[in-house]
Amino acid sequence: MYESYYGLSDKPFRLRPDPHFFFGSKGHKRAMAYLEYGLAQGEGFIVITGEVGAGKTTLVRNLFRQIESDRIVAAHIVNTHVNADDIVRGVVAAFGLPFEDSASKTTLLARLEHFLRGCDTAGKRALLVVDEAQNLTPRVVEELRMLSNFQSDDKPLLQTFLLGQPEFRATLHNPGMQQLRQRVIATYHLGPMDELETQAYIEHRLLTVGWTGDPSFTPAAHAAIYEFTGGIPRKTNHLCDRLLLMGFLEEMHAFTDADVDTVIRDIQQEFEPPAAAPAAAAPLADATAFDPESAVFANQYPSVLDERMLRLERSMGSVLSILKRIVSTPAGVNQALDE
């Protein structure tokens, strides 16, 4: 909606991970270095943790963009609410192998091993990336470790990267995870960006879609954005997307901290808890525990929110065009009524 108004070639602040917009903050560069180190080693586990929306999936997408497909066969798992048997089925499916419901676990493991040995014969390595690892139970993690036992005469046939939220560290340090910890060759925690990096991040995403300074942001506006988002990329995207949408609707070309505060209040009001139920009814949840930020940013599938926002923007755009014609010319009234 606002892209053409500001002369942009695309939406700069989509919620879904997009390696095209990858920004190398200090933390993201170090995390990428650990992933690249893991690839160079060709064995073991690499563990990357980070807060919700910190950019872990974007790291993976950026890594996949750099991988040479003639050397590495990569698979990516994002659905991790599974049991030990289902994770094997998920790994088989992620590598593009048949995974019919009637197939036993033994059959699936044999199929996977045959595939991995075929990759090795062809001079390729197999890489498995498991996202949202914090949802994995210790039993499922142990199943993934067992897959690393597939080996040729001199090297493992499968390497695994595990990415998750900070609570995955508790699973990793479970007393029963000693064998897995012995196979972890590197771990890194991806923290939020600092204030200067957050401003550079915003400008980087705008420049990627052809920004030439319209709209502009005052230093106080950038400070207000950072104060609300804490340097978390997904939260920054959500706030800036809403800010540009307001700028389009209000025909603004410069944003101040007051404008940022207005958008923040709108976001907070949209996710206020409903009015308290009558005393006779049992409350469904503790209203004081409601976190509007978590309601938006803990979503594991931000692309769904992104598409909903696009549909909403299109609808608002049509209504706004009609209202502008009504206000601008008397003839527009009759035309709008005809429509």
Side-chain angles (χ1 to χ4, degrees), residues 9-301:
S9 60
D10 197 0
K11 287 191 67 173
F13 299 108
R14 296 185 185 277
L15 293 180
R16 66 171 178 262
D18 187 343
H20 182 61
F21 289 99
F22 177 75
F23 174 73
S25 71
K26 180 171 62 176
H28 287 83
K29 285 181 179 178
R30 293 192 66 179
M32 278 300 303
Y34 275 91
L35 295 178
E36 291 167 354
Y37 168 76
L39 281 181
Q41 294 300 303
E43 63 179 352
F45 288 77
I46 298 289
V47 176
I48 302 292
T49 57
E51 299 293 342
V52 176
K56 300 181 295 296
T57 304
T58 302
L59 282 173
V60 174
R61 301 284 176 84
N62 190 57
L63 179 70
F64 281 3
R65 187 172 60 171
Q66 299 177 17
I67 285 177
E68 299 177 16
S69 58
D70 60 338
R71 293 180 52 248
I72 298 177
V73 179
H76 188 194
I77 292 179
V78 295
N79 182 13
T80 51
H81 286 287
V82 294
N83 59 36
D85 290 341
D86 287 338
I87 194 64
V88 173
R89 195 176 302 276
V91 172
V92 169
F95 279 112
L97 305 176
F99 60 101
E100 64 276 8
D101 292 338
S102 59
S104 67
K105 180 179 177 180
T106 302
T107 298
L108 294 173
L109 287 173
R111 192 174 293 168
L112 178 61
E113 182 178 11
H114 178 74
F115 169 77
L116 296 176
R117 294 195 181 281
C119 290
D120 183 54
T121 301
K124 297 183 179 182
R125 292 196 290 114
L127 171 66
L128 175 66
V129 179
V130 181
D131 219 335
E132 304 295 343
Q134 74 279 353
N135 300 323
L136 301 174
T137 64
R139 181 69 185 87
V140 173
V141 176
E142 175 63 12
E143 197 70 44
L144 290 172
R145 184 196 67 79
M146 293 291 290
L147 296 181
S148 67
N149 287 333
F150 290 132
Q151 296 194 20
S152 64
D153 293 336
D154 60 345
K155 59 185 175 182
L157 298 176
L158 179 65
Q159 184 178 24
T160 303
F161 292 173
L162 300 172
L163 292 86
Q165 294 171 24
E167 50 265 36
F168 178 62
R169 292 189 171 196
T171 301
L172 190 62
H173 287 86
N174 186 292
M177 293 290 102
Q178 181 177 354
Q179 293 189 68
L180 174 67
R181 290 196 299 272
Q182 291 175 352
R183 300 194 184 189
V184 173
I185 61 176
T187 65
Y188 182 72
H189 179 72
L190 179 61
M193 301 177 291
D194 62 27
E195 186 169 353
L196 290 178
E197 286 179 325
T198 301
Q199 178 175 341
Y201 171 82
I202 293 169
E203 293 174 349
H204 166 77
R205 294 189 73 101
L206 286 167
L207 288 169
T208 301
V209 294
W211 178 62
T212 58
D214 181 21
S216 61
F217 299 75
T218 66
H222 279 295
I225 292 172
Y226 176 74
E227 181 179 359
F228 178 72
T229 65
I232 299 295
R234 191 186 301 169
K235 293 178 67 174
T236 303
N237 289 353
H238 182 251
L239 176 57
C240 289
D241 183 67
R242 292 291 297 269
L243 187 63
L244 292 183
L245 176 59
M246 183 188 76
F248 164 71
L249 296 174
E250 301 292 336
E251 298 185 350
M252 302 166 62
H253 292 276
F255 295 119
T256 66
D257 55 331
D259 302 320
V260 175
D261 290 340
T262 297
V263 174
I264 291 173
R265 285 195 300 271
D266 288 343
I267 293 174
Q268 292 173 333
Q269 288 173 2
E270 290 169 5
F271 292 95
E272 285 181 353
L284 295 178
D286 181 6
T288 62
F290 182 84
D291 184 357
E293 297 178 10
S294 297
V296 180
F297 303 112
N299 194 314
Q300 297 180 15
Y301 305 98

